[in-house]
Amino acid sequence: MILMKAKPLLENRRSFLKQKTEALIQTLGRAPRLVVILVGDDPASQIYVRNKAKAAQSVGFIGESYVFEATTPPQKVFEFVQDLNENPDVDGILIQRPLPPSFNEKEVMFWVVPEKDVDCLHPENIGLLVTGNPRFAPCTPAGILMLLDFYHLPVEGKIACVVGRSNIVGKPLATMLMARNASIIQIHRSTRNPADLCKQADFLFVAAGSKNLVHRDWIKPGAIVIDVGIHRDEFGKISGDVDSASVESLVSGITPVPGGVGPMTIQMLLENTYTAALNQGK
Ligand code: NAD
């Protein structure tokens, strides 16, 4: 059984990105700049936002985070984002989700200009992805594919089951797996008998946001399981959407939580920001 940790892959990838950044700074005359925006005081989001800015700094970028109160009118945040859109020294902008209910997600996805949309949520970027000509790859799905490559696990010709269909993980992940010639089963809240469908999967990707949803009865023996979920209990212990203890003896590979998909997501955010800066400099 392979425990598919991100660390062995990230050590090289981070230092390579740092080297490339040094060269890019020479060309641009400035460091790539990533701005992360949080609205509200969700404790988990606060940690994510800080970690993203810190990770950016660790490779030589300017990494900044801005926090607005949950009661901030959407127009005010929109204007802040517009200023960043127009600022030639800003390369990447990320608006952390979830947003307070006063924000209309269908509008917010248009706020960041596509060229700086390093989270890959703008409909133009999603369209480019679906039609096979991506500008950016959405961070979590791209990080997952990179993990599969590192552990030599090709999905071509295999059955891949994706639990979840969010715009940020489930939908783009299914698209990217299809582009690699996997056959896709997509599971969501209205799916009947999800365990029976998951049991057909050679590769099972779980991004439902429901702690320990997937257990032994959902797994085909020998399957590869990718756990995207992140849940923090009252003692700060982190676990995923998969009941890992119950499936470990059955699978041939599984990502740990923490230390699997999460760090890969951050790496891909940095790589997208690098690409955005490179494109701005052209
Ligand atoms: P979301 O809430 O936007 O979407 C969840 C999806 O799962 C929905 O499509 C829903 O239909 C489906 N779903 C929910 N419960 C289900 C059930 N019981 N059976 C079948 N389908 C079900 O969530 P999201 O933003 O995609 O995130 C999912 C999880 O992944 C969360 O725990 C989140 O914290 C985590 N996450 C982790 C990373 C990372 O880097 N590791 C990145 C993004 C999200």
Side-chain angles (χ1 to χ4, degrees):
M1 199 274 288
I2 318 168
L3 189 60
M4 298 165 65
K5 292 184 186 170
K7 202 170 171 201
L9 180 174
L10 281 184
E11 278 166 3
N12 278 339
R13 203 122 190 147
R14 271 285 153 94
S15 57
F16 184 50
L17 182 60
K18 213 169 164 180
Q19 279 171 25
K20 287 200 304 183
T21 301
E22 278 167 22
L24 185 61
I25 290 173
Q26 298 301 316
T27 321
L28 289 180
R30 63 170 180 85
R33 183 167 160 202
L34 171 69
V35 179
V36 185
I37 298 164
L38 172 66
V39 188
D41 53 7
D42 176 53
S45 295
Q46 283 175 343
I47 297 173
Y48 299 149
V49 163
R50 261 203 310 270
N51 286 349
K52 285 169 184 171
K54 257 197 236 156
Q57 292 158 14
S58 78
V59 291
F61 297 177
I62 300 170
E64 294 164 16
S65 58
Y66 291 90
V67 182
F68 290 88
E69 300 211 345
T71 51
T72 310
Q75 181 64 23
K76 195 169 167 202
V77 181
F78 172 72
E79 283 164 14
F80 183 76
V81 174
Q82 291 318 303
D83 286 346
L84 297 172
N85 280 336
E86 284 162 21
N87 184 342
D89 290 343
V90 172
D91 303 292
I93 307 168
L94 182 150
I95 304 173
Q96 183 72 34
R97 271 69 172 184
L99 285 162
S102 55
F103 286 73
N104 178 349
E105 183 55 50
K106 291 200 172 114
E107 286 174 10
V108 178
M109 60 172 67
F110 286 92
W111 284 8
V112 176
V113 287
E115 293 77 11
K116 300 188 181 187
D117 170 40
V118 286
D119 215 12
C120 197
L121 278 170
H122 191 290
E124 178 179 313
N125 287 333
I126 292 294
L128 288 170
L129 179 78
V130 172
T131 49
N133 183 28
R135 175 186 277 129
F136 298 116
C139 302
T140 302
I144 290 171
L145 295 189
M146 203 174 280
L147 263 183
L148 294 177
D149 290 342
F150 181 77
Y151 286 101
H152 305 292
L153 298 165
V155 297
E156 173 148 14
K158 300 289 170 81
I159 297 181
C161 181
V162 179
V163 185
R165 58 172 169 185
S166 66
N167 287 337
I168 188 104
V169 187
K171 276 188 217 165
L173 177 58
T175 300
M176 291 164 82
L177 290 167
M178 212 184 314
R180 288 189 168 202
N181 298 325
S183 298
I184 313 297
I185 301 172
Q186 194 126 28
I187 308 281
H188 45 78
R189 272 200 196 85
S190 303
T191 305
R192 287 191 206 146
N193 304 324
D196 291 349
L197 289 169
C198 288
K199 237 180 163 154
Q200 296 178 35
D202 304 303
F203 287 81
L204 179 58
F205 302 85
V206 191
S210 177
K211 188 175 172 177
N212 291 342
L213 172 71
V214 169
H215 48 88
R216 232 182 139 72
D217 294 348
W218 294 48
I219 308 284
K220 173 177 171 175
I224 300 292
V225 177
I226 307 292
D227 190 353
V228 181
I230 303 177
H231 308 278
R232 211 175 286 265
D233 71 14
E234 70 259 44
F235 308 108
K237 188 171 180 281
I238 297 172
S239 58
D241 284 356
V242 179
D243 176 8
S244 50
S246 92
V247 309
E248 261 167 23
S249 61
L250 211 55
V251 300
S252 58
I254 188 166
T255 54
V257 180
V261 176
M264 293 306 304
T265 299
I266 292 189
Q267 177 65 19
M268 294 318 302
L269 174 67
L270 302 182
E271 296 196 13
N272 281 349
T273 304
Y274 173 87
T275 303
L278 192 67
N279 291 343
Q280 275 228 75
K282 276 180 189 162

